[in-house]
Amino acid sequence: MNINRRFFLGIAGTMVGGALAVGPKKARAVRKPKAPSDPYGCLVDLTACVGCRKCEQACNRVNGLPAPQISFDDPRVLEHKRRPNATAYTVVNRHYTGKLDERNLLIPTFVKVQCMHCQDPACVSACIVGALTKKDNGAVHYDVSKCMGCRYCMVACPFQIPAYDYHDPLTPEVRKCSFCYDRISKEGGKPACAAICPVEALTFGKRSQIIDIARRRIKNDPGRYLNRLYGEYEVGGTSWLYISGEPFEKLGFLDLPSRPIPHLAESIQQGLFSYLWAPLSLFAILGGCMWTFNRKQTKENPEPERMEDNS
């Protein structure tokens, strides 16, 4: 497991939010798993996606988001890597891994990015007012009426997905993919992106069934797929899962531990509180860790020497 700045901040955010939310007494209690037993999931087959961005367009429409600066049928937007934000809950990025076709041209792989709807979400654990909850159908649901705008969820998320309405000073909200919570709560409902995909690169269903489908595809066509299902175990498992013919690390996927981040963060909290350490000690330790981390980064990436001014 590679501990990078993003992962460290996620642990720190979950610890701070969790400590404020539960207090010392509850922190000493044994943690129960929060993952639903039979949630929905969505499989993304990266070997099938053609980068048409119909999923982006459908997401924009059902969520009433503003029109993008570059239209959905303009491929120029794929020239730059994008992240989901307050006005785009899902984006498709194009990656080149060096693989060539019969004409010696680079073959692109398109990757859809959105909230992963973790089985045991760090954002839910970090939310001190219960504005984020993990629903039985798999969605990580956001209740704007409870949100106080602390944004611990943004720090805690290992995928750095939640965005914030910085342009709205009066009624800002945390923004992210809702897994089309209202749609999938109805019988036969699907997320808008999965319903519209013209090449069936997105398969929606019960997570357990989705995993079986993915494993069958990998087994039946080992020349097309790598033997890995991303999201099956990462941070305790996610509702969005991916299969690919290219290494995930070349496609922008993070190398994350299998243990849910709330488990790790709360284990540290329990250790601190069990010895009656003050919460101030927690911040001192986090500060020390950050100082060590920054010192290591400075050594690995020293600043360039300044040019002498001889004028």
Side-chain angles (χ1 to χ4, degrees):
M1 178 183 71
N2 296 326
I3 301 295
N4 55 23
R5 180 183 177 88
R6 176 179 297 175
F7 184 75
F8 172 79
L9 289 175
I11 292 287
T14 307
M15 289 180 64
V16 172
L20 291 173
V22 303
K25 185 176 180 180
K26 288 185 179 179
R28 289 195 296 269
V30 176
R31 188 180 188 279
K32 295 180 180 179
K34 296 179 180 177
S37 59
D38 191 26
Y40 285 117
C42 198
L43 176 66
V44 184
D45 188 338
L46 298 182
T47 70
C49 182
V50 295
C52 67
R53 301 178 64 213
K54 294 293 185 185
C55 53
E56 291 187 34
Q57 190 171 14
C59 177
N60 178 280
R61 176 175 51 80
V62 301
N63 288 293
L65 299 174
Q69 292 182 344
I70 301 178
S71 67
F72 290 109
D73 57 358
D74 189 338
R76 290 180 301 168
V77 75
L78 297 171
E79 294 173 1
H80 306 282
K81 299 293 183 296
R82 297 172 297 150
R83 297 286 304 168
N85 57 41
T87 60
Y89 298 165
T90 185
V91 297
V92 175
N93 285 322
R94 181 177 59 196
H95 296 263
Y96 291 108
T97 62
K99 192 174 182 180
L100 302 175
D101 62 12
E102 62 277 5
R103 296 175 296 171
N104 212 32
L105 298 176
L106 287 168
I107 300 175
T109 300
F110 299 97
V111 178
K112 182 181 182 297
V113 184
Q114 72 294 305
C115 172
M116 296 290 282
H117 294 274
C118 303
Q119 283 284 81
D120 196 346
C123 60
V124 171
S125 182
C127 183
I128 60 178
V129 293
L132 287 163
T133 52
K134 179 69 175 178
K135 299 296 186 182
D136 288 341
N137 62 13
V140 175
H141 184 259
Y142 172 65
D143 185 345
V144 65
S145 67
K146 295 181 179 178
C147 181
M148 56 180 278
C150 68
R151 286 165 280 169
Y152 284 139
C153 56
M154 297 173 66
V155 179
C157 176
F159 300 101
Q160 289 196 333
I161 290 296
Y164 196 67
D165 258 342
Y166 290 105
H167 68 280
D168 185 349
L170 298 178
T171 57
E173 299 178 12
V174 170
R175 299 273 192 162
K176 70 173 195 67
C177 160
S178 65
F179 209 14
C180 285
Y181 174 72
D182 291 335
R183 291 169 62 97
I184 68 173
S185 296
K186 300 175 182 176
E187 182 70 25
K190 292 182 178 181
C193 56
I196 201 171
C197 183
V199 294
E200 299 183 347
L202 306 179
T203 305
F204 177 76
K206 289 294 185 181
R207 185 174 185 271
S208 56
Q209 297 171 348
I210 291 298
I211 290 175
D212 289 340
I213 290 171
R215 287 175 176 164
R216 279 201 301 274
R217 289 187 189 179
I218 292 172
K219 180 181 179 181
N220 294 336
D221 200 345
R224 178 173 181 173
Y225 300 105
L226 299 179
N227 186 20
R228 183 181 178 187
L229 175 56
Y230 190 93
E232 183 175 11
Y233 299 115
E234 280 73 13
V235 291
T238 58
S239 286
W240 280 81
L241 303 120
Y242 293 77
I243 51 177
S244 172
E246 298 296 316
F248 285 102
E249 58 270 21
K250 292 185 177 181
L251 301 175
F253 288 82
L254 299 173
D255 181 19
L256 295 170
S258 59
R259 192 178 186 188
I261 287 180
H263 279 226
L264 180 57
E266 291 171 21
S267 295
I268 298 173
Q269 290 172 9
Q270 290 164 18
L272 291 171
F273 286 121
S274 66
Y275 292 101
L276 300 179
W277 291 8
L280 188 59
S281 300
L282 171 63
F283 289 94
I285 292 173
L286 290 174
C289 291
M290 182 58 80
W291 179 82
T292 304
F293 179 80
N294 287 336
R295 187 182 181 194
K296 181 182 177 183
Q297 275 202 327
T298 302
K299 287 183 176 180
E300 292 176 350
N301 301 292
E303 292 185 0
E305 294 183 1
R306 293 184 178 179
M307 298 291 290
E308 294 291 342
D309 186 0
N310 298 322
S311 59

